[in-house]
Structure formats: C-alpha cells, structure tokens
Amino acid sequence: MQRLMAEMLGTLFLVLVGCGVAIMAAGAGGVGMLGVALAFGLTLVAMAYTVGPISGCHLNPAVTVGLWVSGRFDAKDVVPYILAQCVGAAVGAGALFMIASGAPDFAVGGFASNGFAEHSPGGYSMQAVLMTEIIMTALLVIVILGTTSNVVANGFAPLAIGLTLTAIHLVSLPVSATSVNPARSLGTALFADGWAMDQLWLFWVAPLAGAILASLVYRMFSDGK
C-alpha cells in the first residue's frame, strides 16, 4: 500500500505541475515550451528522489510495463501500479481543473490533452504522432533501464531521467503535446473537450508499444545487467 500511495502521489504532482504550467503559464508572455518541458522534467527529478526509494518512481504505465518486460518488475504488481498511477493522474488533473477554472477567462478546451490531426498543436497527422510517441517513449524507457542498472553509480539516475523527459518534451510538444505516459493523457482527457477521450487510445497504444520495444532491445545488448 505504501508503494501504491507513492505512485499515486508522484503521478498526481507530475500532472498537476507539468500540465499546470502548460495550461496557466505557457501562453503569450509566459514560459513557453521550454518552461513546460522543464516543469515535467524537474518534477520527475524531484519525485524520483522523494518517492523513488519507496516505489521506484514509475509514475507511468509505460515505464511499469517496460520494467516488467525487461525482468525488473514483478508481474503481480503491474496492474496495481497502473491503477494507482491513473488515479493519481485523475486527481492531479481534477485539482488543476479546480484551480484553472477560477480564472475569469477560463475555457476548458483541450486542457493540455494530447491529440493528433486537428488536435495536434502543430497539426501533425495520426501517423506522425504515433511514430513520435513510440520513439520518445522508447528513448525514455531505455534511459531508465540504463541508468538504473547495477553497473551505474547510484544517485544520478533521477537527473538523467528528468533531463531526458525535458528533452523529449522539447521535441514532441509541437507534435502531440507530449504524452509518453498513458496516465498523464488519461488525467487531462477526463476534463477536456470530448475529442480528447476519442483520441486517447493512441496515447495508450503508442507509449506501451514504445516501452515494450525499448525493453526488448535493451535486453539484447545489456546482458541482463
């Protein structure tokens, strides 16, 4: 239960802070894409140091599945972790909705949800968004597997993982508003306009596929380390 609570709280803060910056502080005169990318990356670093010793700080169903495929995580814990992450993301998005809706000019719109075609920030096609999410999630999972292996010095993994998530956002924010995390996508979609739920399937399929691909590739060249 402590591990599940850690996953829930960590995912809650990741969604609340990362998506909060995207919704309330990224517009004209705000922090822009760099600020959003740093918000997600730095929050992940902070959560990794805070809840990592308790739960491993997955905060992401794709990471949980990737670690399971790579042999680093017990199968019996996969579903409970994913459920805890989804609950945390929903609560974080709900808290964000309550805060953001207090603004006089608030309009829910996409609510920082991920989308493709006309709902992609840059109008990117479904195929482009699918490819982006698969590749970026694979990159994230490979970095996690590599930096948490038993041949890497302890203590630096959160920094490497957080910086990787920052870089991933800088690349993919214009394409898909950056998911690489099905729980994060679910959380905001619950409060956004109806199209977000209609397109949510891609932001589960692509990150999970990318995580599985990364884990299989990593196992081929890591010798199980």
Side-chain angles (χ1 to χ4, degrees):
M1 185 57 66
Q2 288 179 331
R3 295 166 66 198
L4 297 180
M5 286 295 295
E7 283 296 300
M8 185 182 75
L9 288 173
T11 312
L12 186 160
F13 286 120
L14 183 68
V15 171
L16 178 61
V17 175
C19 296
V21 171
I23 291 170
M24 297 185 292
V31 297
M33 286 196 303
L34 178 59
V36 175
L38 286 170
F40 276 100
L42 293 176
T43 303
L44 183 58
V45 171
M47 290 299 101
Y49 282 119
T50 304
V51 306
I54 302 170
S55 69
C57 192
H58 298 187
L59 315 189
N60 183 338
V63 172
T64 297
V65 169
L67 290 171
W68 167 61
V69 172
S70 68
R72 301 265 196 97
F73 195 66
D74 197 327
K76 69 179 176 59
D77 293 327
V78 170
V79 171
Y81 259 53
I82 291 175
L83 290 175
Q85 293 154 4
C86 289
V87 170
V91 174
L96 176 58
F97 182 85
M98 292 178 65
I99 296 168
S101 62
D105 58 347
F106 175 74
V108 63
F111 200 62
S113 291
N114 307 111
F116 54 83
E118 67 270 24
H119 300 298
S120 157
Y124 286 81
S125 68
M126 182 184 74
Q127 293 82 359
V129 171
L130 183 71
M131 184 65 67
T132 299
E133 288 291 325
I134 290 173
I135 293 172
M136 294 297 128
T137 309
L139 170 60
L140 177 63
V141 172
I142 282 180
V143 170
I144 290 171
L145 291 171
T147 56
T148 58
S149 70
N150 57 17
V151 296
V152 176
N154 291 329
F156 293 100
L159 292 174
I161 296 166
L163 289 172
T164 299
L165 186 62
T166 299
I168 285 170
H169 275 76
L170 290 174
V171 173
S172 57
L173 275 170
V175 181
S176 64
T178 310
S179 172
V180 303
N181 184 338
R184 169 261 188 269
S185 297
L186 172 65
T188 53
L190 290 172
F191 296 90
D193 289 343
W195 63 261
M197 289 299 291
D198 293 338
Q199 296 191 352
L200 180 62
W201 64 269
L202 186 147
F203 301 100
W204 277 81
V205 171
L208 292 176
I212 292 169
L213 176 64
S215 299
L216 294 175
V217 170
Y218 185 80
R219 288 185 72 169
M220 287 192 295
F221 67 74
S222 68
D223 297 323
K225 296 178 181 178

